[in-house]
Amino acid sequence: MDEIQLQFQQLLAEQGITLTELQLRQFEDYYQELVSWNEKMNLTGITERQQVYIKHFYDSLSLSFYLNMDEVSNLADIGSGAGFPGIPLKICFPHIQLTIVDSLNKRIQFLQHVCDKLGLEQVQLLHSRAEDAARLDHMRDRFDLVTARAVARMAVLNEFCLPFTKSNGVFAAMKGSDPSEELHEAKRSLKELNAKLRKTYSFSLPLENSDRHIIVIEKSGATPRKYPRKAGTPLKSPLV
């Protein structure tokens, strides 16, 4: 274990997370594959090793600082990109059945390669727009926890993600800067989609102190049949 991995392990230990040697190796293999594939396709603008460990891996795992992942049996990561936060959460909490939805097939191919390389099981990778995937019977109103990291504004994200969330389940949006304005703008979408704001958690990433916010939303009932609207409509005409 080198200095960066030791630091990563210590930071997680402060949050009550203990990594095994296998998990540390999986994170390092993930980093190596991310950087390698990033030379062929645009996966991330962050490639410096310590920054990946903090800004991608640690940041992804921050969701587990505020939500009890032991109570989560299935997780949907919408618009996952290079696999954040879904893959780091799966590495740390292997009992979770992970579903990743992304609209770019090249990213899905990368994620399949990563899952194979890391030996991750019970991972479903779906090449689809969120609006289309949420219309599938086996995806709709199904997941204990749904998450999205830096995908869109809350009024749009709610329509992307809440249709996947089961009644009494949770949608957690991972944001950078203060989301107060977005939350005010998103009130109508929450009402339309049978959901309410539970809490917003704020913290700073270690070492570089950039702001992070996790917005936790509770789903109170099934998704109305008319949502989500057809692909492209939520972005063009948000529920505000």
Side-chain angles (χ1 to χ4, degrees), residues 86-96 98 120-123:
I87 298 293
L89 287 167
K90 175 65 178 177
I91 292 171
C92 260
F93 305 97
H95 72 277
I96 292 173
L98 172 64
L120 301 179
E121 299 178 345
Q122 291 188 310
V123 179

Side-chain angles (χ1 to χ4, degrees), residues 4 7-8 11-12 27 30-31 34 43-63 65 80 82-86 88 149-150 174-176 203-213:
I4 288 175
Q7 180 186 64
F8 180 59
L11 288 169
L12 290 177
F27 275 113
Y30 189 10
Y31 167 72
L34 178 69
L43 289 166
T44 177
I46 299 169
T47 56
E48 196 274 322
R49 187 161 169 260
Q50 185 180 55
Q51 289 206 347
V52 170
Y53 268 81
I54 298 299
K55 291 185 176 181
H56 283 326
F57 297 166
Y58 182 93
D59 187 31
S60 293
L61 295 174
S62 66
L63 198 60
F65 306 163
S80 185
F84 308 121
R149 179 174 177 259
M174 306 181 75
K175 294 280 185 177
F203 65 101
S204 296
L205 280 183
L207 306 182
E208 52 120 64
N209 297 321
S210 55
D211 292 340
R212 293 292 187 271
H213 297 82

Side-chain angles (χ1 to χ4, degrees), residues 221-236:
T223 305
R225 187 174 294 274
K226 63 181 176 179
Y227 296 117
R229 292 167 292 168
K230 68 179 182 179
T233 302
L235 270 173
K236 292 176 185 174

Side-chain angles (χ1 to χ4, degrees), residues 20 23 34-35 41 43 45 73 81 86 98 122 130 190 205 218:
T20 65
Q23 288 167 321
L34 178 69
V35 172
M41 57 185 288
L43 289 166
S73 63
L98 172 64
Q122 291 188 310
L190 287 175
L205 280 183
E218 292 179 353

